[in-house]
Amino acid sequence: MDNKNAITPLIQSYTVDFAGSNNFLFVKGIQGDGHSTRYVDIALLNDTQPYEINPDAVRVVIRGTKPDQTAVFNECEILNNNTIRVEITQQMSAAAGKGNYEISIMAKEENRTLTSFPFFVMISRASFDIGYVTSSDEFKLLIEKINEVNKMKEELVDISEDALEAIRQSKEQTEDCREATEDSIEATAAMRELHNAVLLEEEKRTKNDEDRQRDTAAALAKVEKATDDAKNQTRIMQELEQTVTEAENERIAAENARKEQAAAFSDEEDIRKANEALRIQNENKRQEREQVRVDNENLRRVREEKRQADMEEAINETIYASNSATAAASYAKSVGDDLITRLNRGEFKGEKGNDGVVHTIAGQYAFQIVGEDLILFYTDGDDPLDFQIDEAGDLILTIDS
């Protein structure tokens, strides 16, 4: 009896928006569930609109941290151009509580990644102790890549054995194959350079992934170790290739690979030229903006120099006015002191007349002719007097009784 379909999988549907917050998205699960029993179909959005992806050019992964701080990094199934399917694995449901997760779209041939804002997976605690489930890090996608590297190692061993057989057979060939062998050596060197370039690009991509995915540092370390093993196997293959002198069949295969790579390099060169043209265009725009900035800076400098000159002139005028006010205040004080002395002697007292009254004045006041002007000086806190010069040239002073 086939027990694979004994339990019909439960599939829930949600949406994840790459352009906005997913704080209110809670995917639910039960502690201990797994083994292809719970799935989540997620529609990818860009500001509430469908976000389309190319299944041939990208892979989609779910990554995150479980409630017990162990990590998850698994590949998702792409159902169509904007919908993916995520399996809630037994490891994802091993620890009860709220886990933080995100969806990442990773380009297969470029070091480019687009990641959603975080959402939550809520694992409800089981009603009994699930002792057989032990929570640990789960890196299904990385484990698959490590298995691919191990498969490459096995293939390299097979290639090495074939190379040894080719060496034995090549020693039995005639001198007429020497020229073809020299061509094979050149093609092998080109293939080795290409292989080294590929390894260098792989190292760069791995380093960028380490910087971007700090929470998967331990898993990436395992990938790096597997890559080092592959490099060692490659080095062994390269040493064997150096002794290959008359392997015509290997030369033909290497030549075909060189032609394919040359075609790929031609496409890359076209892309590089287009990028260079765009860079030159951007540089021209930058120079134009720089010229505008220089012109604005010159205008600002001229205005700043004028502002400083105006400020210096205003300061000088203020100093002059301050000195004049100080002198006037000193004079007013001396006049006021004199008025008080005379007042105390009773010089300003008199009898009541018919047209007015003479009495003392509260405060200190002084008159002075400056040029052709009559100036009234008085101290702070006193009100100015009401006075005028009539047509006869007499001073008329009005004092409120």
Side-chain angles (χ1 to χ4, degrees), residues 209-223:
D209 285 344
E210 289 175 350
D211 295 339
R212 180 177 53 82
Q213 300 174 354
R214 295 179 182 177
D215 55 338
T216 59
L220 291 176
K222 296 178 182 179
V223 173

Side-chain angles (χ1 to χ4, degrees), residues 163 165-185 188 240-252:
E165 178 64 19
I167 292 173
R168 185 186 63 78
Q169 294 178 359
S170 65
K171 291 180 179 179
E172 299 175 357
Q173 295 179 356
T174 62
E175 189 66 21
D176 295 337
C177 296
R178 184 177 301 278
E179 182 178 355
T181 301
E182 292 176 355
D183 293 338
S184 176
I185 293 174
T188 301
L240 293 174
E241 289 173 348
Q242 292 178 356
T243 61
V244 176
T245 59
E246 300 176 357
E248 179 62 16
N249 292 333
E250 292 290 335
R251 185 196 67 79
I252 293 175

Side-chain angles (χ1 to χ4, degrees), residues 132-329:
Y132 64 87
V133 178
T134 300
S135 179
S136 63
D137 295 326
E138 183 178 42
F139 302 102
K140 294 178 63 179
L141 177 60
L142 297 181
I143 291 173
E144 291 174 359
K145 296 306 175 184
I146 292 173
N147 292 335
E148 291 179 4
V149 171
N150 292 332
K151 184 178 179 181
M152 290 174 58
K153 291 168 60 178
E154 296 176 357
E155 293 176 351
L156 289 175
V157 172
D158 295 337
I159 292 175
S160 299
E161 294 176 354
D162 294 340
L164 292 174
E165 178 64 19
I167 292 173
R168 185 186 63 78
Q169 294 178 359
S170 65
K171 291 180 179 179
E172 299 175 357
Q173 295 179 356
T174 62
E175 189 66 21
D176 295 337
C177 296
R178 184 177 301 278
E179 182 178 355
T181 301
E182 292 176 355
D183 293 338
S184 176
I185 293 174
E186 294 178 358
T188 301
M191 181 179 67
R192 184 168 56 253
E193 293 178 358
L194 173 61
H195 187 71
N196 291 336
V198 171
L199 289 178
L200 181 60
E201 291 300 322
E202 177 64 18
E203 290 175 356
K204 292 180 180 179
R205 186 195 65 77
T206 302
K207 185 178 183 303
N208 290 334
D209 285 344
E210 289 175 350
D211 295 339
R212 180 177 53 82
Q213 300 174 354
R214 295 179 182 177
D215 55 338
T216 59
L220 291 176
K222 296 178 182 179
V223 173
E224 289 178 354
K225 183 178 182 303
T227 303
D228 291 339
D229 293 339
K231 289 180 182 178
N232 292 332
Q233 295 298 327
T234 303
R235 179 179 56 79
I236 295 173
M237 182 189 72
Q238 291 172 350
E239 292 174 355
L240 293 174
E241 289 173 348
Q242 292 178 356
T243 61
V244 176
T245 59
E246 300 176 357
E248 179 62 16
N249 292 333
E250 292 290 335
R251 185 196 67 79
I252 293 175
E255 179 65 16
N256 291 336
R258 185 192 65 78
K259 290 179 180 179
E260 292 177 358
Q261 188 61 34
F265 284 165
S266 176
D267 294 339
E268 293 178 357
E269 179 64 17
D270 292 340
I271 295 175
R272 187 197 65 77
K273 290 179 179 179
N275 290 337
E276 178 65 15
L278 179 59
R279 186 196 65 77
I280 293 174
Q281 181 180 358
N282 291 335
E283 176 63 19
N284 292 336
K285 291 182 180 179
R286 187 197 64 77
Q287 292 178 356
E288 293 175 359
R289 292 171 182 166
E290 177 65 16
Q291 185 60 43
V292 172
R293 188 196 65 78
V294 171
D295 294 342
N296 291 336
E297 177 64 18
N298 292 334
L299 179 59
R300 186 200 63 77
R301 187 179 295 109
V302 170
R303 291 177 177 174
E304 177 63 17
E305 292 174 354
K306 182 177 183 305
R307 186 193 65 78
Q308 292 179 357
D310 294 342
M311 178 63 73
E312 183 177 358
E313 182 180 354
I315 291 173
N316 291 334
E317 292 178 355
T318 302
I319 293 173
Y320 175 77
S322 176
N323 292 337
S324 299
T326 301

Side-chain angles (χ1 to χ4, degrees), residues 52-196:
E52 296 187 356
I53 58 177
N54 183 358
D56 296 330
V58 301
R59 61 170 49 92
V60 181
V61 300
I62 180 171
R63 62 187 189 183
T65 304
K66 293 184 286 185
D68 59 0
Q69 302 305 308
T70 54
V72 172
F73 192 88
N74 294 341
E75 187 167 8
C76 305
E77 179 184 358
I78 299 176
L79 300 180
N80 54 47
N81 58 0
N82 82 307
T83 305
I84 62 172
R85 176 163 292 175
V86 178
E87 179 184 357
I88 305 300
T89 64
Q90 188 176 42
Q91 274 300 318
M92 291 178 65
S93 62
K98 181 175 72 174
N100 295 330
Y101 289 85
E102 58 195 13
I103 300 298
S104 287
I105 302 174
M106 306 169 61
K108 292 181 179 179
E109 298 182 359
E110 297 177 308
N111 186 22
R112 300 175 62 194
T113 301
L114 178 65
T115 303
S116 71
F117 289 93
F119 58 91
F120 308 104
V121 175
M122 296 293 300
I123 301 300
S124 298
R125 185 176 302 278
S127 58
F128 65 99
D129 183 17
I130 305 178
Y132 64 87
V133 178
T134 300
S135 179
S136 63
D137 295 326
E138 183 178 42
F139 302 102
K140 294 178 63 179
L141 177 60
L142 297 181
I143 291 173
E144 291 174 359
K145 296 306 175 184
I146 292 173
N147 292 335
E148 291 179 4
V149 171
N150 292 332
K151 184 178 179 181
M152 290 174 58
K153 291 168 60 178
E154 296 176 357
E155 293 176 351
L156 289 175
V157 172
D158 295 337
I159 292 175
S160 299
E161 294 176 354
D162 294 340
L164 292 174
E165 178 64 19
I167 292 173
R168 185 186 63 78
Q169 294 178 359
S170 65
K171 291 180 179 179
E172 299 175 357
Q173 295 179 356
T174 62
E175 189 66 21
D176 295 337
C177 296
R178 184 177 301 278
E179 182 178 355
T181 301
E182 292 176 355
D183 293 338
S184 176
I185 293 174
E186 294 178 358
T188 301
M191 181 179 67
R192 184 168 56 253
E193 293 178 358
L194 173 61
H195 187 71
N196 291 336

